[in-house]
Amino acid sequence: MTSQHLPSNSAKIKLVKKLAILGSTGSIGNSTLSICESFPDRYQVISLAAGNNIDAAFAQCLRWRPKVISLATESLAESLISRLKAEGITNIEVVHGTAGSIRVATLPEVNFVVSAIVGVAGLEATYAAVCAGKTIGLANKECLVAAGELIIAAAKQHKVALLPIDSEHNAVHQCMRGGAPAEVKQIWLTASGGPFRNTPIAEFEHITPQQALKHPTWVMGQRITIDSATMMNKGFEVIEACRLFNLPAKQVRTTIHPQSTVHSLVEFVDGSILAQISVTDMRLPILYALAYPERVAVTEKESLTFDLTTLSQLDFSPPDLTRFPCLRLAYEAVEAGGKACIALNAADEIAVAAFLEGRIPFLGIPRTIETVLQLTSGQSPASILDVLDADLVARACAREVIARQFTVARR
Ligand SMILES: NC(=O)c1ccc[n+]([C@@H]2O[C@H](COP(=O)([O-])OP(=O)(O)OC[C@H]3O[C@@H](n4cnc5c(N)ncnc54)[C@H](OP(=O)(O)O)[C@@H]3O)[C@@H](O)[C@H]2O)c1
């Protein structure tokens, strides 16, 4: 992708983008709706998919009057229909489950889908949206980790743009506009290092969920916050970057940058390095993806401008893989191929939930994943159903590993 592929200013026409938001009640979903609130002449909400938060889904129906909304289960959908009826609203179609999110993502009038359901729960709807030719703003990283090869192939086949919302990949996407893909030597994904960057390794065993949920720079959903504390999040981003930018793992580097000011960098073959700097606010990468290939002017009201005069220090250092084994495991999984990345993601989701419930210690997360990876074999998946099967197998394996670890720990 180079600048010569972008329309000239004179060719720009302001078209209203018609949005489906998958994961509308989450952190990214709410930030996307806040952008729609700021730019109502550019972005129109057509359909929403939420999980279990019926109060938030109800409030979103009142505010946005979507054509269709999906909830995780049939009983939640029925409750929402009753609540809407009591308000005199009968023209919103309420659907549920995977079929419901697929309907939300593939409505004919939708032309842009924000994929922000957490975990593989968002996979089928995202894949369906790609196959239906929708432009995708991709926040959900688990989709590319578990089914990256299939999604990228489908995007090529249907000539669909996958625009990254994850801030690091969004930064890389922006920097890539400075050169041709063949001119890229390597990319550098920055990482804050999370809350335990300087914690003595001896104390890692006693880290509590409350401590791990305090991210130094970003406010995010629970799973991604714990993934940031273990640096598995950076590992997922390495895999995501390999898929999105068609690079081998050795050309995707990571660097600890505690200020989280530079969101990532692209190093070109001539020695130039381009970096992207902006406020740490997810509304900015969301707006970039929604507006691409244009850039939308923001005002003081959105508070998205970065005050360069306040910038005094930028530190970069290599990550310590003994402190953060999850990052090493992610590099190993992407190199191994086959079903390893599916197992990595599934085992992590189960281990993070067990940690949050106090069933395993912080270091139980990488231990569980490493054991599951050792027990995983098999060819790359040929379909999304294969991915979901392998995901279920890896989850069951992770639960067994945890049950054993837990029993041993209690003895
Ligand atoms: N937050 C960030 O800054 C950030 C940055 C980069 C990438 N991401 C990625 O973006 C995705 C979303 O992150 P987040 O922080 O927004 O997560 P979050 O706040 O936990 O929100 C997750 C969303 O997914 C919905 N959901 C969960 N299970 C569902 C199901 N079975 N069916 C339908 N919807 C379901 C939730 O609905 P309910 O709340 O109604 O249950 C909620 O709307 C993740 O993949 C994350 O890795 C997030």
Side-chain angles (χ1 to χ4, degrees):
M1 182 243 325
T2 63
S3 54
Q4 78 236 23
H5 296 135
L6 307 180
S8 69
N9 278 340
S10 60
K12 278 181 193 166
I13 308 165
K14 199 155 83 177
L15 288 176
V16 178
K17 290 193 179 159
K18 302 194 173 214
L19 269 52
I21 305 175
L22 307 178
S24 62
T25 45
S27 166
I28 294 289
N30 279 306
S31 296
T32 307
L33 289 169
S34 151
I35 291 292
C36 296
E37 196 84 67
S38 299
F39 301 98
D41 54 335
R42 287 179 173 272
Y43 308 116
Q44 187 187 347
V45 175
I46 302 290
S47 51
L48 302 170
N52 297 298
N53 190 342
I54 187 164
D55 291 335
F58 177 64
Q60 290 180 353
C61 284
L62 296 187
R63 166 62 189 89
W64 295 99
R65 301 296 172 117
K67 192 176 172 205
V68 182
I69 185 162
S70 177
L71 285 168
T73 64
E74 189 171 7
S75 65
L76 284 167
E78 278 166 6
S79 303
L80 182 61
I81 291 169
S82 306
R83 284 176 72 172
L84 290 172
K85 235 186 207 158
E87 290 291 321
I89 302 170
T90 51
N91 61 349
I92 297 177
E93 183 185 337
V94 183
V95 290
H96 66 271
T98 304
S101 339
I102 291 176
R103 167 130 180 88
V104 163
T106 56
L107 281 181
E109 51 272 69
V110 163
N111 53 25
F112 194 110
V113 175
V114 174
S115 168
I117 290 178
V118 64
V120 286
L123 177 55
E124 284 171 280
T126 305
Y127 187 74
V130 173
C131 294
K134 317 289 186 194
T135 303
I136 311 288
L138 194 63
N140 173 310
K141 50 191 86 198
E142 297 86 354
C143 280
L144 280 190
V145 172
E149 283 140 350
L150 295 169
I151 290 181
I152 298 289
K156 273 193 190 139
Q157 188 192 341
H158 297 279
K159 300 191 174 39
V160 157
L162 289 176
L163 301 165
I165 284 178
D166 212 350
S167 60
E168 292 76 4
H169 307 83
N170 187 273
V172 170
H173 191 274
Q174 299 200 37
C175 296
M176 287 273 194
R177 291 168 89 165
E183 292 164 353
V184 173
K185 183 177 172 201
Q186 56 193 354
I187 63 178
W188 291 88
L189 303 180
T190 54
S192 70
F196 309 124
R197 187 169 46 91
N198 296 317
T199 305
I201 293 186
E203 290 174 25
F204 268 49
E205 198 67 47
H206 308 293
I207 288 170
T208 64
Q210 290 70 22
Q211 291 169 322
L213 284 170
K214 275 193 199 126
H215 193 274
T217 43
W218 294 97
V219 178
M220 307 175 285
Q222 285 207 337
R223 174 167 183 210
I224 186 173
T225 306
I226 301 299
D227 284 342
S228 299
T230 61
M231 283 198 77
M232 178 53 93
N233 183 49
K234 208 50 51 185
F236 288 154
E237 288 175 7
V238 167
I239 299 169
E240 211 184 338
C242 291
R243 319 279 209 220
L244 273 173
F245 305 112
N246 193 23
L247 292 169
K250 64 178 189 315
Q251 281 174 261
V252 180
R253 311 284 301 275
T254 55
T255 178
I256 302 282
H257 170 48
Q259 292 85 7
S260 297
T261 301
V262 173
H263 296 298
S264 278
L265 312 93
V266 175
E267 186 174 342
F268 290 93
V269 286
D270 64 357
S272 287
I273 299 180
L274 297 189
Q276 189 263 345
I277 292 180
S278 56
V279 288
T280 49
D281 187 324
M282 288 307 293
R283 286 177 304 149
L284 197 133
I286 292 168
L287 179 60
Y288 171 87
L290 288 178
Y292 182 82
E294 291 179 63
R295 285 190 187 267
V296 171
V298 291
T299 62
E300 294 257 309
K301 212 172 106 215
E302 282 88 37
S303 326
L304 283 175
T305 43
F306 184 86
D307 182 0
L308 209 57
T309 60
T310 62
L311 186 64
S312 56
Q313 202 179 338
L314 294 176
D315 298 310
F316 298 95
S317 59
D320 176 354
L321 295 188
T322 40
R323 181 179 291 270
F324 297 112
C326 283
L327 183 55
R328 167 180 59 80
L329 292 172
Y331 271 104
E332 287 173 8
V334 73
E335 293 285 3
K339 296 191 168 80
C341 290
I342 302 172
L344 182 87
N345 173 60
D348 178 69
E349 194 169 317
I350 296 295
V352 167
F355 168 67
L356 285 172
E357 288 160 16
R359 290 188 285 119
I360 62 171
F362 187 71
L363 288 181
I365 299 174
R367 284 186 201 127
T368 303
I369 299 165
E370 184 146 31
T371 310
V372 172
L373 284 177
Q374 284 160 359
L375 297 170
T376 301
S377 59
Q379 300 286 307
S380 293
S383 68
I384 294 293
L385 280 182
D386 281 355
V387 172
L388 295 172
D389 278 350
D391 177 79
L392 284 178
V393 170
R395 274 163 205 270
C397 181
R399 283 191 196 98
E400 252 183 73
V401 171
I402 287 171
R404 264 186 283 136
Q405 272 182 357
F406 182 63
T407 316
V408 170
R410 293 276 302 265
R411 268 188 206 141

